[in-house]
Amino acid sequence: MNASFDFLSQLATIVGERHVLTASDRIAGYLIDVRKAYEGQALCIVEPADTLEVSAVVALCSDHDVAITPIGGNTGLVGGGAVRSKKVADGNERPGIGLSLRRLDRIREISALDGTITVEAGCVLQKIQEAAAEADLYFPLSLSAEGSCQIGGNIATNAGGTAAVRYGVTRQLVLGLEVVLPSGKVIHGLKRLRKDNAGYDLKQLFIGSEGTLGIITAAVMRVMPAPKATATAMVALDSIPAALEVLRRMHAAFGERVTSAEITERAYMDLVLKQLKAARPAFPETPTWSLLLEVSDSRDGAELKEPLEETLASALEDGIASDVLIAQNEAQAESFWYLRHGVSEAIRHAGPNMSHDSSVPLERQGDYVLRTRERILERFPEATPLYVGHLGDGNMHLVVMFSPDRFIDRAAYSAVSSELDTIIDDVVVELDGSITAEHGIGLSYRSRLARTKAPAEIELMQGIKAVFDPRNIMNPGKLLPA
Amino acid sequence: MNASFDFLSQLATIVGERHVLTASDRIAGYLIDVRKAYEGQALCIVEPADTLEVSAVVALCSDHDVAITPIGGNTGLVGGGAVRSKKVADGNERPGIGLSLRRLDRIREISALDGTITVEAGCVLQKIQEAAAEADLYFPLSLSAEGSCQIGGNIATNAGGTAAVRYGVTRQLVLGLEVVLPSGKVIHGLKRLRKDNAGYDLKQLFIGSEGTLGIITAAVMRVMPAPKATATAMVALDSIPAALEVLRRMHAAFGERVTSAEITERAYMDLVLKQLKAARPAFPETPTWSLLLEVSDSRDGAELKEPLEETLASALEDGIASDVLIAQNEAQAESFWYLRHGVSEAIRHAGPNMSHDSSVPLERQGDYVLRTRERILERFPEATPLYVGHLGDGNMHLVVMFSPDRFIDRAAYSAVSSELDTIIDDVVVELDGSITAEHGIGLSYRSRLARTKAPAEIELMQGIKAVFDPRNIMNPGKLLPA
């Protein structure tokens, strides 16, 4: 206890006493994720104010062999931010600390000419979007949690979102990173460069490494010219192949201006309409698939609505689409988006469920749906598979829902969940896809990494981890298999 | 000799006798780079036919502790492909082999829907561009050496080129890689996925690692909708800040449709006009800076010329540009491009020179030019600094030219070259740039890596190298400091 007390007081010397949180009511919010799926246990939560303090805290933890879990907005879906202890030399578990980045929340610089925004890790995503918009620029990363997730977490998990079809995932938006290594040393990599071939590109390793290799404290991100014209449509379709043909025509007609292509299956759309009071159906009858399309252009007055109407009208004439709605105003566009953004909320109140985040090559998305649905219903006829996806990225979210009384306890739930994992992972592997397209590995997928990566790849990952974090203090127990 | 004979015969068993080249006239072309700056020395050159053979050759080399230098089109500018020996346990140098990828030259698959082309490492870049075009798609990587460089080399060096302002560098075009590790094991990573967050993204390490971590044997690359409309212009400007203002307006008006923004300084343009017979001046008098702009659109019949005229006319009216030419037809556009592509050819016959490949933040490019020119001329008043750059990427190529009789021998040349490196690197570091934007490190920049990367970063790179290549057989002596 004395050692631990001593450690806490040294932490307090670095960050100030009021930023070393130990009282259970003050740390509770840090120890539970948004889905309440993983509970963490921490010696304390520290809230450093800047990179120097992060560095000092990490160096102290390195000296004392104390595990650190970096905590952003706590919106991850796979338990990557759950604070864990680590096994130390004497075989005991030593409690870890949670390191919150929330006080590193400054926007350091915007350069319109360079098309960059330099931000600290604790900036909430929405704040960055707004800062870019104020400078008549556009930060394209957008996802449901944008009001609370932090950019450091977005980078550490290589977040995807709804505009990736046009702008790529987070990795494509990162130009430079400032990182505190597990030794406490700082990599000052906040370069505003588009091209830099001086040695291995280390920042690529931190992106998507879920806090296991170091703590991202700041980043240079790309910003784009602000869209000055937007057009939105909802398309009713009978099948995924039909949806893909519409997407192909959209790309041929609009090139990179295709900004979003989000698809929702009937059962999921019906659930949204049932659960969300403000939801209004787009079509009189819910189609098998509803495809939300958005195109945007940075040129003021660019004509998009008319070519969008033409492109989709021809899809209708050719029998590919069964119905088409072009948003006539912003309110109608928002009502389409409301249906898409409502999926997470809808599922929250609908009963026990297991969620999957697969990607497959675009042209295999139809197979993915057919095979998973068939095999799930064969094994669990009482289940309802719900599909919603980023069609343009081959990234399909599959939620398998059950009736509220299906499971008598957590163990029964886990047994089914684990069986479903195997069923769905098998399909993903058959179709040469990824079992975790954008959510990451965290705790949830840790034991399943070997289903999708070869032993040689996992060995290299473990070798990299050992190089960066030889004492294994940085978010131990996450991402890599035990 | 017997051991070496034995090794050669084992190589022949794998790839066939006629693909183990030892005769000096047959291997000469593999041992000298395009600029004749680095000569290699090899036990032999092997030309495997496929990934399996590459894997077997590498495993054999690993067993015998023989160094391997992967060889693509041999168009690199920093000696990364120069075959080298390695120091072995007894302190002696053991000759290495060159491994040519040229026979791995198949295009395995094109998927219009996925927007991907799957190619083997030995495919010449131009062949990939043509295959994409045949499928009404577009592969955007484009650089002077495209008629002979190979995609494996482009990926291993993270090539840039003239369309990076729109499509990014090679890294942004790679979706999946097949790689033979230094152990001979194969990573089968030819996934056609836009999103995959299953563990550390190992392929990012191979991109730009210059063959020091493994041999890329095939890749899944992104292809884009083919441009259906293009407009090209040449703009005369007095300064870099003026050019950047034009670029800013271009991005505001055209967004991602700005495909190229290449800038050439007067002395360099005059040299091109003097050296290349077919070159025709764009302007009656060569301006201080000539900016070549290209915009393109995938929509058939998209109107680009008129908005381009408008945007540039307003720059003229506002006194930012001093003259503007809009290409009236394809021939005129080609004549503009001829001036840009002619820079490498022009310099080849113009006298001894040293070439630099720096990048700085976009808005600091003017400072880069001012500071380098001033300091170079202060120290070497007899020198002629020539500038040509990818303005939209902050990537400026600086060639320092001297009169033909300036150096009495190679040593005198090297002494000046080394002094220039220091002068220019200092400016780059002051401006927070990169000393090697797109050419890589190879042999040329090896000793200078420490000028731009911190010791902690270089240590991590060395640690990564040791994890991937513990016997140090893969392109040893390149990229990392000794």
Side-chain angles (χ1 to χ4, degrees):
Chain A
M1 279 310 275
N2 275 349
S4 147
F5 177 78
D6 199 44
F7 176 74
L8 288 173
S9 74
Q10 288 180 65
L11 282 176
T13 310
I14 299 166
V15 299
E17 207 161 326
R18 52 191 285 257
H19 294 298
V20 179
L21 314 182
T22 51
S24 59
D25 58 329
R26 293 204 55 199
I27 67 176
Y30 282 117
L31 296 181
I32 192 85
D33 64 302
V34 66
R35 291 191 313 150
K36 305 199 189 320
Y38 296 100
E39 209 172 329
Q41 286 184 314
L43 179 66
C44 66
I45 302 291
V46 289
E47 302 176 316
D50 55 29
T51 305
L52 270 180
E53 288 189 9
V54 173
S55 161
V57 168
V58 172
L60 183 70
C61 289
S62 175
D63 286 347
H64 289 76
D65 202 14
V66 170
I68 308 165
T69 301
I71 301 179
N74 225 342
T75 61
L77 298 173
V78 294
V83 182
R84 288 288 183 264
S85 56
K86 71 163 283 192
K87 198 162 269 172
V88 289
D90 61 9
N92 287 325
E93 293 283 326
R94 179 172 298 166
I97 70 163
L99 189 154
S100 164
L101 278 305
R102 75 163 180 84
R103 292 175 68 211
L104 282 79
D105 65 348
R106 279 162 300 181
I107 290 177
R108 291 196 194 163
E109 189 177 28
I110 297 187
S111 166
L113 207 50
D114 278 307
T116 56
I117 185 164
T118 305
V119 297
E120 294 184 347
C123 284
V124 168
L125 174 52
Q126 194 175 320
K127 176 175 167 171
I128 301 173
Q129 296 166 341
E130 289 166 359
E134 268 170 48
D136 197 26
L137 293 162
Y138 180 64
F139 185 63
L141 185 64
S142 175
L143 40 95
S144 303
E146 61 196 26
S148 52
C149 65
Q150 295 171 9
I151 193 69
N154 296 144
I155 298 168
T157 58
N158 189 26
T162 51
V165 63
R166 175 166 186 172
Y167 300 102
V169 295
T170 300
R171 185 181 301 281
Q172 273 85 53
L173 303 175
V174 177
L175 291 183
L177 288 184
E178 179 186 88
V179 179
V180 174
L181 296 173
S183 61
K185 281 183 193 160
V186 182
I187 293 186
H188 298 281
L190 290 181
K191 294 206 170 185
R192 286 188 277 144
L193 301 177
R194 307 268 155 175
K195 291 181 173 177
D196 181 10
N197 279 346
Y200 305 150
D201 193 352
L202 296 176
K203 71 173 172 294
Q204 301 297 341
L205 274 177
F206 296 110
I207 301 168
S209 66
E210 305 182 25
T212 62
L213 300 179
I215 301 179
I216 295 162
T217 49
V220 179
M221 310 294 292
R222 291 172 61 205
V223 285
M224 319 295 172
K228 294 293 164 78
T230 300
T232 311
M234 190 74 105
V235 186
L237 298 144
D238 290 335
S239 71
I240 294 278
L244 288 169
E245 172 58 17
V246 170
L247 181 66
R248 194 194 62 74
R249 293 177 178 209
M250 288 292 293
H251 272 136
F254 293 96
E256 292 98 332
R257 280 162 296 185
V258 178
T259 309
S260 291
E262 301 287 308
I263 194 157
T264 309
E265 193 253 354
R266 176 165 34 207
Y268 214 152
M269 184 63 83
D270 284 340
L271 185 73
V272 170
L273 291 168
K274 184 179 153 197
Q275 295 281 343
L276 273 69
K277 278 188 189 155
R280 296 284 163 271
F283 301 104
E285 203 173 316
T286 309
T288 311
W289 294 96
S290 304
L291 176 62
L292 173 58
L293 293 170
E294 190 161 289
V295 290
S296 62
D297 196 303
S298 54
R299 181 143 51 108
D300 234 340
E303 183 49 67
L304 294 172
K305 214 174 122 190
E306 208 173 297
L308 184 62
E309 274 167 359
E310 275 169 35
T311 305
L312 296 178
S314 85
L316 207 53
E317 279 161 34
D318 297 347
I320 294 154
S322 55
D323 204 349
V324 168
L325 288 169
I326 311 281
Q328 296 305 314
N329 49 50
E330 215 171 298
Q332 200 178 0
E334 271 169 27
S335 78
F336 294 166
W337 272 110
Y338 185 78
L339 296 172
R340 172 62 186 88
H341 285 311
V343 297
S344 307
E345 179 67 14
I347 202 70
R348 211 161 286 158
H349 311 290
N353 62 74
M354 294 99 183
S355 143
H356 283 260
D357 169 35
S358 317
S359 68
V360 294
L362 266 66
E363 58 187 28
R364 295 181 188 161
Q365 291 178 94
D367 288 337
Y368 172 81
V369 171
L370 291 176
R371 291 189 201 181
T372 50
R373 190 204 305 275
E374 189 182 283
R375 295 184 203 175
I376 290 166
L377 291 179
E378 195 187 321
R379 177 67 189 86
F380 301 107
E382 75 280 21
T384 309
L386 304 168
Y387 296 88
V388 66
H390 310 291
L391 185 77
D393 311 314
N395 179 194
M396 196 64 81
H397 297 290
L398 159 55
V399 177
V400 186
M401 195 176 64
F402 293 89
S403 65
D405 55 357
R406 171 63 177 79
F407 305 107
I408 51 161
D409 56 17
R410 185 82 199 170
Y413 172 92
S414 294
V416 170
S417 174
S418 160
E419 245 190 279
L420 278 172
D421 287 347
T422 305
I423 291 171
I424 295 164
D425 290 353
D426 282 351
V427 173
V428 170
V429 170
E430 286 165 26
L431 298 174
D432 214 7
S434 171
I435 60 170
T436 179
E438 58 180 10
H439 293 170
I441 297 284
L443 290 168
S444 309
Y445 290 75
R446 198 183 168 204
S447 62
R448 290 154 60 199
L449 186 61
R451 291 187 193 165
T452 182
K453 297 288 172 186
E457 290 170 279
I458 293 175
E459 271 168 40
L460 289 175
M461 292 183 200
Q462 283 164 331
I464 290 167
K465 169 74 175 174
V467 166
F468 281 70
D469 184 19
R471 307 197 68 160
N472 190 30
I473 60 166
M474 202 54 79
N475 212 3
K478 312 292 167 60
L479 195 143
L480 292 165
Chain B
M1 282 306 279
N2 276 349
S4 149
F5 177 80
D6 199 45
F7 176 73
L8 287 173
S9 74
Q10 287 180 64
L11 282 175
T13 311
I14 298 167
V15 299
E17 208 161 325
R18 53 191 285 255
H19 295 297
V20 180
L21 315 182
T22 52
S24 60
D25 59 328
R26 293 204 57 200
I27 67 175
Y30 281 118
L31 296 182
I32 192 83
D33 63 303
V34 66
R35 292 190 311 151
K36 307 201 188 317
Y38 296 100
E39 209 172 328
Q41 285 185 315
L43 179 67
C44 66
I45 303 291
V46 290
E47 303 176 315
D50 56 28
T51 306
L52 270 180
E53 288 189 8
V54 174
S55 160
V57 168
V58 172
L60 183 70
C61 289
S62 174
D63 285 348
H64 289 75
D65 202 14
V66 170
I68 306 164
T69 302
I71 301 179
N74 223 344
T75 61
L77 298 173
V78 293
V83 182
R84 288 289 183 263
S85 55
K86 71 162 284 191
K87 197 160 270 174
V88 290
D90 59 12
N92 288 322
E93 293 283 327
R94 178 172 298 165
I97 70 164
L99 189 153
S100 165
L101 278 305
R102 75 164 180 85
R103 293 175 68 211
L104 283 79
D105 66 347
R106 280 163 301 180
I107 289 176
R108 292 196 192 162
E109 188 178 28
I110 297 188
S111 167
L113 206 51
D114 277 309
T116 56
I117 185 164
T118 305
V119 297
E120 294 184 348
C123 284
V124 168
L125 173 52
Q126 194 174 320
K127 176 175 167 171
I128 300 173
Q129 295 167 341
E130 288 166 1
E134 268 171 46
D136 197 25
L137 293 163
Y138 180 64
F139 185 63
L141 185 64
S142 175
L143 40 96
S144 303
E146 62 197 26
S148 52
C149 65
Q150 295 171 10
I151 192 69
N154 297 144
I155 298 167
T157 58
N158 189 28
T162 52
V165 62
R166 175 166 185 171
Y167 300 102
V169 294
T170 300
R171 184 181 301 282
Q172 274 85 54
L173 303 175
V174 176
L175 291 183
L177 289 183
E178 179 186 87
V179 180
V180 174
L181 296 174
S183 61
K185 280 183 193 160
V186 183
I187 294 186
H188 298 282
L190 291 181
K191 295 205 169 185
R192 286 189 277 144
L193 302 177
R194 308 267 156 176
K195 290 181 174 177
D196 180 10
N197 279 346
Y200 304 151
D201 193 351
L202 297 177
K203 72 172 172 294
Q204 301 297 340
L205 274 177
F206 296 109
I207 301 168
S209 66
E210 305 182 26
T212 61
L213 301 178
I215 300 179
I216 295 162
T217 49
V220 180
M221 309 294 291
R222 292 172 61 205
V223 285
M224 320 295 173
K228 295 293 164 75
T230 299
T232 311
M234 191 74 105
V235 185
L237 297 146
D238 291 334
S239 72
I240 293 278
L244 287 169
E245 173 57 19
V246 170
L247 181 66
R248 194 194 61 74
R249 292 176 179 208
M250 288 293 294
H251 271 137
F254 293 95
E256 292 98 333
R257 279 162 297 184
V258 178
T259 309
S260 291
E262 301 288 308
I263 194 156
T264 309
E265 194 253 355
R266 176 165 34 207
Y268 214 153
M269 183 62 82
D270 284 340
L271 185 74
V272 170
L273 292 168
K274 183 179 154 195
Q275 296 281 342
L276 273 70
K277 279 188 190 157
R280 295 284 162 271
F283 300 104
E285 201 175 318
T286 310
T288 311
W289 293 96
S290 303
L291 177 63
L292 173 59
L293 292 170
E294 190 161 289
V295 292
S296 62
D297 197 302
S298 54
R299 181 142 50 109
D300 235 340
E303 183 49 66
L304 294 173
K305 214 174 122 192
E306 206 174 299
L308 183 61
E309 275 167 358
E310 275 170 35
T311 305
L312 296 178
S314 86
L316 207 52
E317 279 162 33
D318 297 347
I320 295 155
S322 55
D323 204 349
V324 169
L325 288 169
I326 310 284
Q328 295 305 314
N329 49 49
E330 216 170 298
Q332 200 178 0
E334 272 169 27
S335 79
F336 294 166
W337 272 109
Y338 185 78
L339 296 172
R340 172 61 185 87
H341 285 312
V343 298
S344 308
E345 180 65 15
I347 202 70
R348 212 162 284 159
H349 311 291
N353 62 74
M354 294 100 182
S355 143
H356 282 260
D357 169 36
S358 318
S359 68
V360 294
L362 266 67
E363 58 185 29
R364 294 180 189 162
Q365 290 178 95
D367 289 337
Y368 172 82
V369 172
L370 291 176
R371 292 188 200 181
T372 50
R373 191 204 304 274
E374 188 183 282
R375 294 184 204 176
I376 290 167
L377 291 179
E378 194 187 321
R379 177 67 189 85
F380 300 107
E382 76 280 21
T384 309
L386 304 168
Y387 297 87
V388 64
H390 310 293
L391 185 78
D393 311 315
N395 180 193
M396 196 64 81
H397 296 290
L398 159 55
V399 177
V400 186
M401 196 176 64
F402 292 88
S403 66
D405 55 357
R406 170 65 176 77
F407 304 108
I408 50 161
D409 57 15
R410 185 84 199 165
Y413 172 93
S414 294
V416 170
S417 175
S418 160
E419 244 191 281
L420 277 172
D421 287 349
T422 306
I423 290 171
I424 296 164
D425 290 355
D426 281 352
V427 174
V428 170
V429 170
E430 285 165 26
L431 299 174
D432 215 8
S434 171
I435 59 170
T436 179
E438 58 181 9
H439 293 170
I441 297 285
L443 289 169
S444 309
Y445 290 74
R446 196 182 169 207
S447 62
R448 291 152 61 198
L449 186 60
R451 292 189 193 163
T452 181
K453 297 287 172 185
E457 290 170 277
I458 293 175
E459 270 168 39
L460 289 174
M461 292 183 199
Q462 283 163 331
I464 290 167
K465 169 75 174 173
V467 166
F468 281 70
D469 184 18
R471 307 197 68 161
N472 191 29
I473 60 166
M474 201 53 78
N475 211 5
K478 312 293 167 58
L479 195 143
L480 291 166

